[in-house]
Amino acid sequence: MIIGIGNDHAGTELKLEIIKHLEEKGVEYIDYGIAPGEKIDYPDAAKRVCKELVSGKVDRAILICGTGIGISIAANKVKGIRACACSDSFSAMYTRLHNDANALCLGGRVVGPGLACQLVDLFLETKFEGGRHQRRVDLISKMEEEF
Ligand code: RB5
């Protein structure tokens, strides 16, 4: 599995911590984000990664802004993206189990590096349950066609 990572300027520090964590675990990733000292608006940061996710170049995304919220709203505008802003482990696990989320959004001003890495692990390691949840995810895809 290849992870695409993106961040705006409020997420740079946390991104570097997450990259360190992924490297320690041997998880393959591509960094589409900005470096320390650079600036980008969170919708553009989301777009850079989401287009690679829907094209299949990467398998999951981790997106970081100040709150995790702006970048999740932007990411969810891209057809095929199911992004969830999480700051607790239950949500990070259940957004995989029930929503088949493909993008985890984190707030660099909300969660510390320890919790963020735990959320990343849950997001990457938890499998979608399918079954009745597949039907609901299909309804989301249908909405993308309707509106
Ligand atoms: C940038 O200052 C900040 O507004 C952004 O990172 C994010 O928190 C928006 O939701």
Side-chain angles (χ1 to χ4, degrees), residues 60-61 92 95-96 101-104 119-126:
R60 298 265 178 90
T95 200
R96 285 289 312 131
N102 50 12
L104 174 70
L119 301 178
V120 165
D121 289 348
L122 284 166
F123 176 72
L124 298 183
E125 288 160 17
T126 307

Side-chain angles (χ1 to χ4, degrees), residues 3-6 18 22 60-64 103-104 106 120 123-124:
I3 313 303
I5 303 184
I18 290 171
L22 294 178
R60 298 265 178 90
I62 297 171
L63 305 171
I64 310 150
L104 174 70
L106 300 168
V120 165
F123 176 72
L124 298 183

Side-chain angles (χ1 to χ4, degrees), residues 21-140:
H21 179 69
L22 294 178
E23 285 176 353
E24 278 165 14
K25 295 195 76 164
V27 177
E28 204 177 331
Y29 70 88
I30 301 174
D31 182 5
Y32 297 101
I34 56 165
E38 294 181 337
K39 281 198 162 209
I40 188 171
D41 294 321
Y42 62 82
D44 292 332
K47 196 157 57 168
R48 280 188 187 187
V49 187
C50 289
K51 71 172 193 241
E52 304 300 346
L53 182 53
V54 292
S55 81
K57 183 160 182 200
V58 297
D59 305 294
R60 298 265 178 90
I62 297 171
L63 305 171
I64 310 150
C65 68
T67 58
I69 297 170
I71 208 160
S72 71
I73 293 173
N76 278 314
K77 298 294 177 195
V78 179
K79 189 174 161 184
I81 299 293
R82 291 178 300 280
C84 182
C86 293
S87 52
D88 69 279
S89 49
F90 185 86
S91 303
M93 187 163 91
Y94 272 79
T95 200
R96 285 289 312 131
L97 286 172
H98 287 188
N99 315 125
D100 198 16
N102 50 12
L104 174 70
C105 303
L106 300 168
R109 295 170 178 158
V110 180
V111 290
L115 175 57
C117 292
Q118 187 187 48
L119 301 178
V120 165
D121 289 348
L122 284 166
F123 176 72
L124 298 183
E125 288 160 17
T126 307
K127 288 197 174 14
F128 177 47
E129 264 181 13
R132 69 186 192 279
H133 302 295
Q134 182 63 61
R135 189 177 57 76
R136 292 161 184 163
V137 169
D138 290 343
L139 287 170
I140 296 173

